[in-house]
Each structure stands twice: as C-alpha cells, then as structure tokens.
Short mmCIF file of all heavy atoms in Angstrom, two decimals:
data_model
loop_
_atom_site.label_atom_id
_atom_site.label_comp_id
_atom_site.label_asym_id
_atom_site.label_seq_id
_atom_site.Cartn_x
_atom_site.Cartn_y
_atom_site.Cartn_z
N GLN A 1 105.55 87.57 55.31
CA GLN A 1 104.28 88.18 54.94
C GLN A 1 104.13 88.79 53.61
O GLN A 1 103.15 88.94 53.13
CB GLN A 1 103.97 89.23 55.95
CG GLN A 1 103.75 88.72 57.43
CD GLN A 1 103.47 89.87 58.41
OE1 GLN A 1 103.63 91.04 58.12
NE2 GLN A 1 103.31 89.42 59.60
N GLN A 2 105.32 88.92 52.95
CA GLN A 2 105.40 89.61 51.56
C GLN A 2 105.68 88.52 50.54
O GLN A 2 105.67 88.90 49.38
CB GLN A 2 106.43 90.60 51.53
CG GLN A 2 106.41 91.67 52.70
CD GLN A 2 107.75 92.55 52.84
OE1 GLN A 2 108.60 92.32 52.06
NE2 GLN A 2 107.67 93.35 53.82
N ALA A 3 105.74 87.28 50.95
CA ALA A 3 106.28 86.27 49.92
C ALA A 3 105.04 85.89 49.02
O ALA A 3 105.43 85.28 47.96
CB ALA A 3 106.64 85.05 50.72
N GLY A 4 103.83 86.07 49.34
CA GLY A 4 102.68 85.68 48.51
C GLY A 4 102.40 84.16 48.51
O GLY A 4 102.49 83.54 49.59
N ASP A 5 102.05 83.65 47.53
CA ASP A 5 101.60 82.24 47.31
C ASP A 5 102.88 81.38 47.36
O ASP A 5 103.81 81.29 46.62
CB ASP A 5 100.90 81.89 45.98
CG ASP A 5 100.42 80.48 46.05
OD1 ASP A 5 100.41 79.79 47.02
OD2 ASP A 5 100.06 80.08 44.91
N LEU A 6 102.97 80.51 48.55
CA LEU A 6 104.15 79.62 48.74
C LEU A 6 103.82 78.21 48.40
O LEU A 6 104.64 77.27 48.57
CB LEU A 6 104.58 79.72 50.28
CG LEU A 6 105.01 81.06 50.85
CD1 LEU A 6 105.41 80.95 52.23
CD2 LEU A 6 106.27 81.57 50.03
N SER A 7 102.64 78.00 47.86
CA SER A 7 102.25 76.44 47.54
C SER A 7 103.11 75.92 46.65
O SER A 7 103.43 74.66 46.77
CB SER A 7 100.64 76.52 47.14
OG SER A 7 100.64 77.34 45.98
N PRO A 8 103.77 76.49 45.53
CA PRO A 8 104.65 75.80 44.60
C PRO A 8 105.96 75.37 45.40
O PRO A 8 106.47 74.29 45.03
CB PRO A 8 105.00 76.80 43.64
CG PRO A 8 103.89 77.77 43.61
CD PRO A 8 103.45 77.82 45.11
N GLY A 9 106.36 75.97 46.39
CA GLY A 9 107.53 75.63 47.13
C GLY A 9 107.32 74.55 48.02
O GLY A 9 108.37 73.86 48.48
N ILE A 10 106.00 74.23 48.49
CA ILE A 10 105.80 73.18 49.52
C ILE A 10 104.96 72.09 48.84
O ILE A 10 104.47 71.25 49.55
CB ILE A 10 105.19 73.79 50.68
CG1 ILE A 10 103.83 74.42 50.36
CG2 ILE A 10 106.06 74.65 51.51
CD1 ILE A 10 103.04 74.85 51.57
N ALA A 11 105.03 72.03 47.48
CA ALA A 11 104.24 70.91 46.83
C ALA A 11 104.97 69.61 47.20
O ALA A 11 106.17 69.37 47.08
CB ALA A 11 104.36 71.14 45.30
N GLY A 12 104.09 68.64 47.60
CA GLY A 12 104.62 67.39 48.10
C GLY A 12 105.07 67.25 49.39
O GLY A 12 105.59 66.19 49.93
N VAL A 13 104.99 68.35 50.25
CA VAL A 13 105.50 68.49 51.56
C VAL A 13 104.17 68.35 52.49
O VAL A 13 103.21 69.16 52.27
CB VAL A 13 106.32 69.59 51.81
CG1 VAL A 13 106.68 69.62 53.30
CG2 VAL A 13 107.57 69.67 51.00
N SER A 14 104.13 67.57 53.45
CA SER A 14 103.09 67.47 54.46
C SER A 14 103.56 67.63 55.74
O SER A 14 104.83 67.39 56.12
CB SER A 14 102.37 66.07 54.28
OG SER A 14 103.16 65.01 54.50
N ALA A 15 102.77 68.10 56.74
CA ALA A 15 103.11 68.24 58.13
C ALA A 15 102.08 67.53 59.02
O ALA A 15 100.89 67.34 58.62
CB ALA A 15 103.32 69.73 58.38
N ALA A 16 102.54 67.10 60.24
CA ALA A 16 101.69 66.46 61.28
C ALA A 16 102.09 66.93 62.57
O ALA A 16 103.31 67.17 62.90
CB ALA A 16 101.77 64.96 61.09
N VAL A 17 101.04 67.05 63.39
CA VAL A 17 101.31 67.36 64.82
C VAL A 17 100.74 66.33 65.71
O VAL A 17 99.54 65.81 65.54
CB VAL A 17 100.52 68.72 65.15
CG1 VAL A 17 100.75 69.09 66.62
CG2 VAL A 17 101.02 69.90 64.28
N PHE A 18 101.54 65.81 66.67
CA PHE A 18 101.20 64.82 67.48
C PHE A 18 101.28 65.26 68.96
O PHE A 18 101.95 66.18 69.39
CB PHE A 18 102.24 63.64 67.41
CG PHE A 18 102.34 63.04 65.96
CD1 PHE A 18 103.38 63.42 65.18
CD2 PHE A 18 101.36 62.22 65.37
CE1 PHE A 18 103.38 63.05 63.84
CE2 PHE A 18 101.47 61.60 64.13
CZ PHE A 18 102.48 62.13 63.44
N ALA A 19 100.42 64.62 69.76
CA ALA A 19 100.23 64.90 71.18
C ALA A 19 101.46 64.61 72.02
O ALA A 19 101.67 65.30 72.99
CB ALA A 19 99.02 64.26 71.75
N ASP A 20 102.17 63.44 71.72
CA ASP A 20 103.28 63.03 72.49
C ASP A 20 104.23 62.23 71.71
O ASP A 20 103.95 61.95 70.57
CB ASP A 20 102.79 62.31 73.82
CG ASP A 20 101.91 61.08 73.44
OD1 ASP A 20 102.14 60.35 72.39
OD2 ASP A 20 100.91 60.92 74.17
N ASP A 21 105.35 61.73 72.38
CA ASP A 21 106.35 61.01 71.67
C ASP A 21 105.76 59.75 71.10
O ASP A 21 106.26 59.23 70.01
CB ASP A 21 107.52 60.74 72.63
CG ASP A 21 108.23 62.09 72.92
OD1 ASP A 21 108.01 63.09 72.31
OD2 ASP A 21 109.06 62.04 73.91
N GLY A 22 104.96 59.05 71.84
CA GLY A 22 104.48 57.79 71.41
C GLY A 22 103.62 57.99 70.18
O GLY A 22 103.75 57.13 69.26
N GLN A 23 102.77 58.87 70.08
CA GLN A 23 101.87 59.27 68.95
C GLN A 23 102.82 59.53 67.69
O GLN A 23 102.56 59.15 66.49
CB GLN A 23 100.92 60.23 69.16
CG GLN A 23 99.79 59.83 70.10
CD GLN A 23 98.65 60.93 70.14
OE1 GLN A 23 98.54 61.66 69.28
NE2 GLN A 23 97.67 60.79 71.03
N GLU A 24 103.81 60.31 67.89
CA GLU A 24 104.73 60.71 66.89
C GLU A 24 105.41 59.41 66.23
O GLU A 24 105.37 59.40 65.02
CB GLU A 24 105.86 61.68 67.50
CG GLU A 24 106.80 62.15 66.40
CD GLU A 24 107.90 62.92 66.96
OE1 GLU A 24 108.28 62.89 68.12
OE2 GLU A 24 108.56 63.77 66.19
N ALA A 25 105.84 58.58 67.09
CA ALA A 25 106.57 57.38 66.52
C ALA A 25 105.54 56.51 65.78
O ALA A 25 105.83 55.92 64.73
CB ALA A 25 107.14 56.61 67.62
N GLN A 26 104.29 56.42 66.33
CA GLN A 26 103.28 55.52 65.60
C GLN A 26 102.87 56.10 64.41
O GLN A 26 102.70 55.38 63.51
CB GLN A 26 102.05 55.42 66.67
CG GLN A 26 101.00 54.40 66.26
CD GLN A 26 101.51 52.96 66.37
OE1 GLN A 26 102.47 52.67 67.08
NE2 GLN A 26 100.74 52.01 65.71
#
C-alpha cells in the first residue's frame, strides 16, 4: 500500500481471468 505508482514495473505485462480450464487454454 506504500509502494505508490507500480505501472513502470508492470509495463508490458497483462493479466487475464478465465472461467474454467477450457477457456484458459483457448
């Protein structure tokens, strides 16, 4: 909570959430 702006550290990194294993693989 004290780290401030973390956007430079995650530049080029993306995340995705899937409902199940099949959607994850697809």
Side-chain angles (χ1 to χ4, degrees):
Q1 299 177 349
Q2 307 164 4
D5 184 15
L6 297 176
S7 56
I10 57 176
V13 177
S14 59
V17 179
F18 301 100
D20 53 44
D21 295 343
Q23 286 190 14
E24 180 185 22
Q26 188 72 17

